[in-house]
Amino acid sequence: MQHLFLMEFFGRGQSGRSYAVTERVRLFKNLNKDVKLVTFDYNPQYEEIWREAAPDVMAHHVNMMDYFEVEAVAGGVRVERLHDARQVTIVDKVFNQHDELVGEIYYGLDNKSVSRRGAILYNRDGSERMRLLYVQNKVTQVLLWDGGMLHVLSFEAMVKYFLDKLTAEEPSIMYADVLEETMTQAYGSVENAEVKVAYIHADHHVAHHQILVGFRNLLRAKKFDWIVTGTQTQAIDLRTEWGAQTVDIAPASVTVPDAVTDLADRRAMSVVVVTRFDRIKRVEDMIAAVVKAHKQNRDINLQLYGTVSDQAYYTQLQQQIADAHATGYITFNGATTDAIGTFATGQVTIFTSRTEGFGRTILESEAAGTPVISYDIDYGPRAIIGKAGKLVADGDVNALANAIVMALADKRWREKASEAGREQAREYDAEHVQAKWLDLITKLEATHENHVD
């Protein structure tokens, strides 16, 4: 029985989706399951990216292009980039380890931004293997030579064609990390999978009766046998509203250290945040709240850590701090590879996402014994903060600022919240998450055995 985790793309600098899927692949491998990460988009550097993310599970990655023996993916090791007179990229020529041309990617300008227009991928004998046509960087048509026949397909139809082939080779359980509606439809249409499981993140179902359109269609079609959610509340809501067969399993586990720095030994009056600088995180609200809190207590400071996914937004945040004359107490500190250790330098953290897939940084803060002050949004914060922090009304910057001031003034509350947070985080350690997956796997494999009987 092979367990296939499907993901549209997998790359550097992504959100928690890549992290979570990588962890699931590793967890299934630890359970001695035949597990594979399955990706679909064309990227000559995919193996390099996957080796960086998960070197211990590299052999368990199957890319659709690689499956069809497209040399530009399987063997592409050198890219020669050609530019026009304005230094705009017009062609990437991809060569394999034998320095043979195995792919060409053609570019054009869309609203002054460089985007792919087409790609031709070659066999080693020079014959054409595949042609991809793009509109605004999205593949709209594929011409594939397979088994001596030319197949003209939409990208989603090619995904289904590929998955039907892959699942026909041996009994398969598919786990779709759903994102795009058209891709989800392709996953749901696969005929050979024994069981189909969809993972819906919390931000794909934003409060009662308000699921995003694509996932409403997913649930209405009932093409997936199980829906996995991050929290129990969401699982109950989906089961109640849609009659779906659901189970709640955290998208990622957290390691709780045996000991952390005592609050008394950390930076005084410090709010520490580890995030991705993206508009969905509403970092501007964090800054505005700390500026307000600082007016009540001049020792309050904000330490920001994280990667930049939106440079224009990051520049906007820098300007916001400068305009508020807050550069002396609000600081950007770059990315960190040790989130728990970083959280353990502060007295509290704040969480202001517009929506959230789960809120892994909440767990990391709790593991560090750092209380969490968060907007009250479905489903992550409400489900996993509990006594480890405070919830304030979504979008209420004044309430957030007041909560910061009160938390930093109340040492006893912080100590209790710190202890409660570490206890709460232990419920999401690797052992607990693995046990939940094992319970589901047992049910899924029993379904296959029943089919065989």
Side-chain angles (χ1 to χ4, degrees):
M1 172 68 69
Q2 61 177 350
H3 297 261
L4 307 176
F5 280 98
L6 315 183
M7 198 170 186
E8 287 92 346
F9 52 84
F10 187 99
R12 298 183 179 96
Q14 285 190 57
S15 65
R17 294 179 71 240
S18 293
Y19 179 94
V21 171
T22 302
E23 180 170 307
R24 289 175 215 148
V25 171
R26 184 177 288 110
L27 183 151
F28 274 50
K29 183 181 178 185
N30 291 340
L31 292 173
N32 296 315
K33 300 298 178 181
D34 179 10
V35 55
K36 301 177 179 69
L37 170 66
V38 181
T39 54
F40 308 95
D41 64 320
Y42 166 57
N43 189 332
Q45 297 178 309
Y46 239 131
E47 287 307 318
E48 176 187 340
I49 293 170
W50 180 237
R51 282 197 300 270
E52 289 178 7
D56 54 322
V57 290
M58 180 183 64
H60 296 262
H61 176 208
V62 179
N63 179 265
M64 180 170 68
M65 305 298 184
D66 195 359
Y67 181 88
F68 285 118
E69 298 178 350
V70 176
E71 285 284 342
V73 172
V77 295
R78 182 171 71 85
V79 177
E80 180 181 309
R81 181 155 288 177
L82 306 181
H83 304 88
D84 65 11
R86 296 168 297 170
Q87 291 302 300
V88 174
T89 301
I90 53 175
V91 180
D92 280 343
K93 292 182 176 290
V94 183
F95 298 83
N96 65 11
Q97 62 266 40
H98 305 291
D99 215 36
E100 299 165 330
L101 179 66
V102 290
E104 295 175 293
I105 309 170
Y106 298 90
Y107 297 88
L109 291 176
D110 287 323
N111 295 324
K112 298 183 180 181
S113 297
V114 177
S115 63
R116 291 180 181 180
R117 293 293 177 82
I120 302 175
L121 311 179
Y122 301 106
N123 294 309
R124 290 188 62 185
D125 63 7
S127 60
E128 190 170 320
R129 176 62 164 160
M130 185 182 299
R131 184 173 295 213
L132 307 172
L133 303 179
Y134 294 82
V135 173
Q136 295 181 336
N137 270 331
K138 183 175 180 179
V139 177
T140 57
Q141 189 177 73
V142 180
L143 280 67
L144 169 68
W145 282 261
D146 188 40
M149 296 180 61
L150 174 62
H151 301 266
V152 181
L153 306 161
S154 68
F155 187 73
E156 291 76 20
M158 184 177 175
V159 167
K160 179 183 181 302
Y161 178 72
F162 158 59
L163 290 174
D164 277 332
K165 280 180 168 286
L166 189 61
T167 54
E169 294 175 356
E170 60 179 291
S172 306
I173 297 175
M174 286 181 9
Y175 306 80
D177 193 284
V178 295
L179 183 63
E180 296 182 1
E181 181 180 1
T182 52
M183 290 290 282
T184 302
Q185 290 173 345
Y187 301 157
S189 299
V190 173
E191 299 169 359
N192 297 319
E194 298 288 329
V195 186
K196 287 180 280 191
V197 181
Y199 201 110
I200 295 184
H201 299 270
D203 57 342
H204 300 162
H205 186 286
V206 286
H208 297 290
H209 309 289
Q210 295 181 22
I211 191 166
L212 299 185
V213 173
F215 306 103
R216 189 159 62 236
N217 292 338
L218 176 155
L219 292 164
R220 183 180 292 119
K222 297 186 182 300
K223 290 186 176 180
F224 288 85
D225 304 288
W226 283 82
I227 305 295
V228 181
T229 70
T231 66
Q232 185 180 49
T233 304
Q234 187 185 14
I236 292 171
D237 284 351
L238 289 178
R239 190 160 59 244
T240 302
E241 294 173 34
W242 298 92
Q245 189 166 225
T246 62
V247 61
D248 61 287
I249 306 176
S253 63
V254 64
T255 300
V256 182
D258 293 334
V260 294
T261 304
D262 189 271
L263 289 172
D265 297 325
R266 303 183 186 187
R267 181 170 180 163
M269 296 293 164
S270 181
V271 180
V272 62
V273 170
V274 178
T275 188
R276 185 176 77 255
F277 295 106
D278 186 285
R279 295 179 192 277
I280 200 170
K281 301 297 183 180
R282 289 193 288 194
V283 180
E284 70 274 15
D285 282 17
M286 297 182 187
I287 293 170
V290 170
V291 169
K292 289 177 178 292
H294 186 262
K295 291 178 181 178
Q296 298 184 55
N297 185 327
R298 294 290 176 175
D299 291 327
I300 291 175
N301 61 91
L302 173 61
Q303 305 300 318
L304 293 163
Y305 297 81
T307 57
V308 179
S309 60
D310 184 334
Q311 185 60 51
Y313 178 59
Y314 185 66
T315 300
Q316 174 188 317
L317 297 175
Q318 291 175 309
Q319 188 61 50
Q320 180 185 0
I321 293 170
D323 291 345
H325 306 289
T327 54
Y329 61 91
I330 300 180
T331 308
F332 290 105
N333 298 287
T336 177
T337 57
D338 180 11
I340 294 176
T342 301
F343 278 122
T345 65
Q347 297 291 327
V348 297
T349 189
I350 48 181
F351 196 85
T352 54
S353 288
R354 191 175 310 280
T355 65
E356 189 58 51
F358 178 72
R360 180 166 55 92
T361 54
I362 293 176
L363 287 182
E364 290 169 334
S365 182
E366 290 179 347
T370 305
V372 184
I373 303 169
S374 173
Y375 281 161
D376 187 8
I377 60 172
D378 277 338
Y379 283 95
R382 189 177 299 164
I384 60 179
I385 290 178
K387 295 181 179 180
K390 297 177 182 287
L391 293 173
V392 302
D394 184 18
D396 191 336
V397 173
N398 288 327
L400 184 64
N402 289 335
I404 292 170
V405 173
M406 292 175 63
L408 291 175
D410 192 340
K411 177 183 176 184
R412 185 177 180 184
W413 177 85
R414 292 199 312 277
E415 290 174 343
K416 287 184 177 180
S418 174
E419 183 179 346
R422 282 172 54 75
E423 191 63 31
Q424 170 85 351
R426 289 187 181 94
E427 296 180 16
Y428 295 90
D429 64 15
E431 182 179 352
H432 283 82
V433 173
Q434 180 169 298
K436 285 203 165 190
W437 273 116
L438 184 58
D439 183 60
L440 177 60
I441 293 168
T442 301
K443 291 184 175 72
L444 301 181
E445 292 184 341
T447 300
H448 164 65
E449 294 300 326
N450 291 336
H451 286 171
V452 172
D453 293 341

